């Protein structure tokens, strides 16, 4: 339902309880993680409520993940969803919580998980997207950066035409040096 666009914060019943509150209060850690990965809103006393119900593991995870963006939830993200978040411009360097409460960014989490996850996993996609632009990670850049890359490629082609026999050398330099430095994720 969440992948189909269901409202993760829709309240149920007379008490206005959301799926996240009900899952946390019932101790369903995997449901809490999945709902959090869709940016479910947390009520101020959710950790306290979860502890009162005897679910210390869920409460600890809620505290640990406070302030995370959807991209932080690498273990819950499918490759398809991670790709969509990256293409939509999700920030891989987003700090969570207050700066003094230093928590890992999505990129730092991906670096920690990186060696232990399969190639197509969300963490691997974040690691690939964090590299300078190349044809190998072009698909993970936001639309504006991809459009910028296409425009730059056209300029490189036009420039190379005026260099005669050296045109391939210019195109190689343009493609391998100029474009990675000029195409940025956060434009």
């Amino acid at each position: 339902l969440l992948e189909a666009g269901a409202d993760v914060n829709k309240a149920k019943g007379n008490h206005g309880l959301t799926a996240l509150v009900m899952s946390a209060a019932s101790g369903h850690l995997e449901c809490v993680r999945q709902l959090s990965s869709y940016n479910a809103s947390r009520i101020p006393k959710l950790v306290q409520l979860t502890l009162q119900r005897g679910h210390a593991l869920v409460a600890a995870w809620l505290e640990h993940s406070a302030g995370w963006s959807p991209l932080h939830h690498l273990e819950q993200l499918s490759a398809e969803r991670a790709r969509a978040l990256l293409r939509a411009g999700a920030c891989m360097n987003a700090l969570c919580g207050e700066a003094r409460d230093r928590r890992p960014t999505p990129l730092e989490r991906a670096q920690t998980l990186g060696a232990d996850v399969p190639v197509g996993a969300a963490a691997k996609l974040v690691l690939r997207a964090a590299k300078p632009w190349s044809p190998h990670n072009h698909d993970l850049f936001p639309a504006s950066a991809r459009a910028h890359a296409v425009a730059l490629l056209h300029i490189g082609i036009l420039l190379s035409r005026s260099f005669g026999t050296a045109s391939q050398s210019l195109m190689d330099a343009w493609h391998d040096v100029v474009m990675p430095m000029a195409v940025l994720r956060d434009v």
Side-chain angles (χ1 to χ4, degrees):
L1 289 174
L2 293 171
E3 285 185 18
D7 182 0
V8 71
N9 293 314
K10 182 154 176 94
K12 181 179 179 184
N14 295 333
H15 300 292
L17 299 176
T18 64
L20 179 65
V21 172
M22 290 187 287
S23 296
S26 302
H28 299 294
L29 181 58
E30 284 308 309
C31 288
V32 169
R33 286 179 172 168
Q34 191 67 23
L35 291 163
S36 293
S37 80
Y38 279 88
N39 218 18
S41 296
R42 297 179 183 194
I43 61 171
K45 303 214 180 224
L46 184 57
V47 172
Q48 182 181 350
L49 170 68
T50 306
L51 282 171
Q52 288 173 347
R53 297 285 178 104
H55 305 296
L57 185 62
V58 175
W61 188 87
L62 285 166
E63 284 182 334
H64 172 75
S65 65
W68 281 10
S69 71
L71 194 57
H72 278 87
H73 298 273
L74 296 169
E75 298 88 343
Q76 277 68 46
L77 294 177
S78 66
E80 187 176 303
R81 186 147 168 260
R83 179 176 281 105
L85 288 169
L86 290 165
R87 288 175 61 99
C91 183
M92 295 179 294
N93 295 307
L95 293 175
C96 47
E98 296 178 22
R100 61 180 161 74
D101 187 20
R102 181 76 173 106
R103 308 248 175 141
T105 67
L107 178 56
E108 291 167 341
R109 293 204 72 241
Q111 290 166 335
T112 301
L113 297 170
D116 299 329
V117 295
V119 172
K124 293 285 189 196
L125 291 175
V126 169
L127 292 173
R128 189 165 56 110
K131 293 179 180 177
W133 178 91
S134 77
H136 303 291
N137 65 0
H138 175 86
D139 65 311
L140 298 174
F141 276 66
S144 60
R146 293 192 315 272
H148 186 62
V150 170
L152 282 174
L153 187 58
H154 286 291
I155 291 169
I157 291 168
L158 292 173
L159 282 172
S160 70
R161 288 181 180 161
S162 63
F163 278 78
T165 58
S167 66
Q168 187 58 49
S169 297
L170 175 75
M171 206 54 225
D172 290 344
W174 189 265
H175 187 269
D176 298 341
V177 179
V178 173
M179 290 187 64
M181 291 179 13
V183 180
L184 307 174
R185 288 194 60 76
D186 306 319
V187 181

